[in-house]
């Protein structure tokens, strides 16, 4: 069965510093990977996805993610954090063809300190 | 453009009562799904549908029923509410395609079962 792990409940980073939010996955076939962001009392919003091709994926608001097949990871990164990036971030996976189940991680709260 | 609309936003039930959470989307998305969000557990898939007349179970389907009579609507029914069903519920939809598409989420429905 497919699964996603986000090992950190919370990540604190100073404004202007680079940030990384970690995600590892487990699937039996090819993975399709996603990052979403949730602001307080709102639904989730799509940031970026990896389907195939380049291992470095660029998304909304300056975020990017690096797909690493050997480490089964898909970490979210941003070169320079903003206070407004503070939110709850979710990694999700959908296994390759044949299933429409999108499985989410437990979420990582990012706090950017001014 | 309304996107994904969930009603009600807030609901309080007593144990044993029944209710339906409504979800409607105006994007002609074939794929629709329901998640529950609980602290420390992330988003867990309850049920999903890949088109009118087709539904399937997710990770935590027990205690919930769904049906999909139209492309636009995907209601979630609680037949006999239990305190363990206290949660925030999110409906999400996407295009059903040969490659995975990002999910569009509603704003959530907060349910409390006393």
């Amino acid at each position: 069965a497919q699964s996603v792990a986000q090992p950190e409940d919370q990540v604190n980073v100073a404004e202007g510093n680079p940030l990384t939010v970690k995600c590892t996955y487990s699937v039996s076939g090819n993975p399709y990977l996603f990052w979403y962001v949730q602001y307080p009392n709102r639904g989730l919003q799509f940031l970026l996805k990896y389907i195939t091709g380049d291992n470095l994926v660029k998304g909304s608001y300056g975020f990017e993610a690096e797909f690493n097949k050997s480490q089964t990871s898909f970490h979210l990164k941003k070169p320079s954090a903003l206070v407004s990036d503070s939110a709850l971030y979710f990694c999700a996976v959908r296994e390759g063809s044949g299933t429409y189940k999108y499985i989410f991680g437990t979420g990582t709260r990012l706090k950017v300190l001014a | 453009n309304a996107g994904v609309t969930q009603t009600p936003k807030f609901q309080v039930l007593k144990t044993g009562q029944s209710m339906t959470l409504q979800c409607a989307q105006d994007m002609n998305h074939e794929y629709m799904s329901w998640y529950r969000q609980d602290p420390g557990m992330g988003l867990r898939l309850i049920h999903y549908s890949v088109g009118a007349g087709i539904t399937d179970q997710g990770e935590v389907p027990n205690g919930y029923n769904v049906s999909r009579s139209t492309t636009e609507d995907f209601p979630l029914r609680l037949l006999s509410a239990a305190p363990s069903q206290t949660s925030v519920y999110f409906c999400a939809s996407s295009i059903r395609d040969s490659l995975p598409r990002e999910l569009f989420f509603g704003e959530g429905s907060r349910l409390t079962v006393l």
Side-chain angles (χ1 to χ4, degrees):
Chain A
Q2 60 205 70
S3 65
V4 172
Q6 293 182 244
E8 301 156 318
D9 291 336
Q10 180 159 322
V11 170
N12 296 327
V13 63
E15 187 175 31
N17 281 3
L19 70 87
T20 298
V21 182
K22 296 179 180 178
C23 172
T24 58
Y25 66 89
S26 174
V27 297
S28 57
N30 291 324
Y32 298 134
L33 296 155
F34 301 79
W35 276 102
Y36 290 83
V37 60
Q38 185 182 34
Y39 297 101
N41 301 312
R42 302 297 299 274
L44 279 70
Q45 299 175 31
F46 169 75
L47 278 179
L48 51 80
K49 66 182 176 184
Y50 171 82
I51 303 298
T52 187
D54 290 340
N55 290 341
L56 186 64
V57 179
K58 294 188 183 298
S60 306
Y61 312 119
F63 283 94
E64 57 189 28
E66 187 170 9
F67 172 68
N68 187 316
K69 188 173 183 178
S70 63
Q71 297 186 4
T72 61
S73 67
F74 189 56
H75 300 332
L76 181 70
K77 300 181 180 184
K78 188 174 182 181
S80 178
L82 300 172
V83 172
S84 57
D85 292 330
S86 298
L88 188 57
Y89 290 81
F90 288 96
C91 182
V93 66
R94 195 192 111 176
E95 199 167 5
S97 61
T99 176
Y100 287 91
K101 291 184 179 180
Y102 293 80
I103 302 301
F104 284 77
T106 52
T108 298
R109 188 164 300 281
L110 174 66
K111 191 170 184 179
V112 181
L113 307 170
Chain B
N1 189 357
V4 179
T5 303
Q6 291 184 234
T7 56
K9 287 186 170 28
F10 300 94
Q11 183 72 50
V12 178
L13 290 179
K14 294 181 179 178
T15 297
Q17 287 185 316
S18 63
M19 77 156 302
T20 299
L21 298 177
Q22 301 291 347
C23 176
Q25 53 86 14
D26 61 359
M27 298 173 283
N28 202 32
H29 285 171
E30 288 185 279
Y31 181 87
M32 296 186 74
S33 55
W34 277 102
Y35 290 86
R36 59 178 289 173
Q37 183 178 20
D38 302 290
M41 311 219 37
L43 271 74
R44 291 181 292 169
L45 180 63
I46 304 172
H47 286 285
Y48 65 99
S49 168
V50 298
I54 307 169
T55 63
D56 207 345
Q57 296 181 349
E59 302 169 274
V60 288
N62 292 340
Y64 306 95
N65 284 344
V66 292
S67 60
R68 185 93 180 270
S69 56
T70 68
T71 299
E72 294 78 18
D73 300 298
F74 190 46
L76 179 70
R77 297 184 183 86
L78 286 71
L79 297 179
S80 179
S84 61
Q85 294 178 303
T86 293
S87 188
V88 181
Y89 292 84
F90 287 97
C91 179
S93 72
S94 78
I95 297 169
R96 194 184 77 165
D97 204 342
S98 57
L99 291 175
R101 301 287 186 167
E102 58 268 29
L103 295 170
F104 290 79
F105 282 81
E107 294 287 286
S109 296
R110 185 176 295 273
L111 175 66
T112 301
V113 183
L114 303 176

